[in-house]
Amino acid sequence: MKRPFKEYAEEWRAIQPHRPSTAKAVAQHLRRYVYPVWEKRAIGTIKPGDVQSWVASLGATHHLAASTSRTVFNTVNAVFRAAVRDRVIPDNPCTGAKLPSVPHKRVVPLAVNQVRQLAEEIPGRYRGLVLLGASTGLRPGELFGLQLRHVDLLHATVAVEQQIQQTAKHGVYVGPPKTARSHRTVPLPKMAVAALKVHLRDFPVDGSEGWLFTAPQGGPVVYTHFMDGAWRPACAKAGIPKGVGPHALRHHYASLLIQHGESVKTVSERLGHTNAAMTLNIYTHLWPDSEERTRAAVDKAYADRPDAGDPRAQEAA
C-alpha cells in the first residue's frame, strides 16, 4: 500500500514479455504522462477520482488524441491490475473510469490505379513488396519479415510466420506475428506470383532463410528508412496524399475482397484479425448496401405468387 507508484510500475515493466516496440511505448507512456503525477505517491493512496482527473489531463494538458489517451490509460490500468493480483492494493482505481470517445474514421482504400502508379514510382527492389501487400493484405511488418521459405510459388501461397519490428537506433527485431490469429497462409493471386517471379529474377535471394525484401545496403528492411527513402517519395510522385502509409495496401486488399462478395469471416481470416467483429468495425461501410438483396431474397421465395403472404389478397382472389 505504501510502495511508491513508480517503484512498483518499474518492477512490473521489467518482467513483462513485451515486444521491443511495445516496451518502448510503455516506457514512454509512464515517463511522460504518469510519473510526473504519481512518481513518489504511494500506490495504495491513488483513488478512482485521481485516475479520472489524470485521464482528463491527458487531453486538456497534454493535448493527446482520444485514441492516444486510451492507449496511455491501458498502460496504467495494466499496472494497477497487476498490483491487485500481487495483493499490493485491494482494488483497481481504474475500474469504471470514463474515457474520451474515439471518433470513427472511415477507411478510404487506395484505388487499383493508385496502387499500380505507386508500384511504378517506388524503387525496383520494393515494387514486388507493394504488389504483394496489395494482393495479400499482409501487414508491413509481415511483409518485411518474409523469407524465401515462406513463399510457395508452385502452390501459390505465402505463409505468415513472423514479422519485423523496428527497435532503437534503427535496429530490427524478428518476432512472432501480432496475434495468434495472425499466423496464417494466404493465397497468392496470379498478379502476385508474377510480381514475385520478376522480383526474384531481379533481386535473387540467397537460400531459403534469405530475406525476400532487403534494404539497399543489404539485410532486412527497416521501417523508417523504407518510409523516408522509398515510400513517401513514391507516394508524392504517384499523387497519393501525405500521411498514407503502407498499411493502406492492407485496406486496399480488404476492399477488393469485399467488392467481390467475400464474407466477413473470410476477410477476417485473410487479414489475420482476432475476430470478425474487428473486421466489421473497420470495414463495415465498404460492404454493399443490403436493402436490395433483402428485398430480392423475400421476393424470390414468393416468386410464384407475389401476393401469397397477404391473407387479404388470398380472400380477394
Side-chain angles (χ1 to χ4, degrees):
M1 293 283 287
K2 295 182 179 179
R3 294 182 66 186
F5 178 88
K6 182 179 180 180
E7 178 184 299
Y8 181 81
E10 285 298 290
E11 290 182 5
W12 167 84
R13 188 170 67 85
I15 61 174
Q16 299 309 303
H18 290 150
R19 295 172 181 172
S21 59
T22 304
K24 180 181 178 181
V26 166
Q28 289 178 340
H29 294 164
L30 293 171
R31 185 179 70 253
R32 293 179 181 177
Y33 308 116
V34 188
Y35 292 157
V37 181
W38 296 329
E39 179 174 357
K40 296 181 180 179
R41 184 165 172 179
I43 191 171
T45 67
I46 300 172
K47 304 301 181 185
D50 299 320
V51 172
Q52 191 63 62
S53 296
W54 168 75
V55 168
S57 74
L58 293 176
T61 304
H62 297 286
H63 308 293
L64 297 185
S67 58
T68 307
S69 293
R70 283 174 170 261
T71 302
V72 175
F73 170 83
N74 289 339
T75 296
V76 171
N77 190 28
V79 173
F80 280 119
R81 283 204 313 266
V84 172
R85 289 196 301 270
D86 289 341
R87 298 183 180 178
V88 174
I89 56 176
D91 302 296
N92 181 354
C94 288
T95 301
K98 297 184 183 301
L99 305 178
S101 299
V102 179
H104 183 70
K105 292 183 178 180
R106 286 194 168 193
V107 168
V108 180
L110 294 175
V112 171
N113 65 322
Q114 288 179 302
V115 173
R116 285 175 171 162
Q117 189 63 32
L118 178 62
E120 286 299 316
E121 299 294 351
I122 207 161
R125 65 175 52 254
Y126 299 129
R127 186 168 295 123
L129 184 150
V130 168
L131 296 174
L132 184 62
S135 59
T136 62
L138 269 62
R139 299 177 177 91
E142 294 169 348
L143 290 168
F144 298 158
L146 288 176
Q147 295 173 298
L148 187 59
R149 62 189 175 90
H150 297 130
V151 179
D152 185 345
L153 294 181
L154 180 62
H155 297 96
T157 60
V158 60
V160 179
E161 298 178 355
Q162 62 189 30
Q163 66 169 329
I164 281 183
Q165 292 186 334
Q166 185 173 331
T167 60
K169 298 180 180 179
H170 304 290
V172 296
Y173 163 76
V174 182
K178 187 175 182 179
T179 66
R181 290 286 300 276
S182 297
H183 288 266
R184 62 198 187 281
T185 298
V186 182
L188 293 175
K190 292 180 180 179
M191 64 87 82
V193 172
L196 286 176
K197 286 181 177 179
V198 171
H199 175 77
L200 291 172
R201 180 199 68 197
D202 296 342
F203 303 94
V205 177
D206 186 16
S208 63
E209 298 292 321
W211 300 109
L212 190 61
F213 304 108
T214 59
Q217 68 276 17
V221 178
V222 178
Y223 186 83
T224 53
H225 291 168
F226 170 75
M227 292 296 291
D228 294 338
W231 180 269
R232 291 192 183 100
C235 283
K237 294 177 182 177
I240 294 174
K242 289 183 178 180
V244 174
H247 210 84
L249 299 174
R250 181 169 166 85
H251 296 323
H252 170 80
Y253 172 73
S255 72
L256 294 183
L257 298 189
I258 293 168
Q259 288 173 21
H260 286 78
E262 291 290 3
S263 67
V264 177
K265 181 176 181 294
T266 298
V267 176
S268 181
E269 289 176 349
R270 295 289 183 265
L271 294 174
H273 279 165
T274 302
N275 50 52
M278 177 185 293
T279 309
L280 273 176
N281 185 51
I282 300 172
Y283 301 114
T284 186
H285 64 288
L286 296 181
W287 259 275
D289 195 311
S290 62
E291 287 186 6
E292 288 303 320
R293 291 202 305 273
T294 303
R295 295 189 186 101
V298 178
D299 287 341
K300 183 177 180 180
Y302 290 91
D304 57 334
R305 283 189 57 190
D307 62 357
D310 188 344
R312 293 172 300 175
Q314 294 175 16
E315 291 173 3

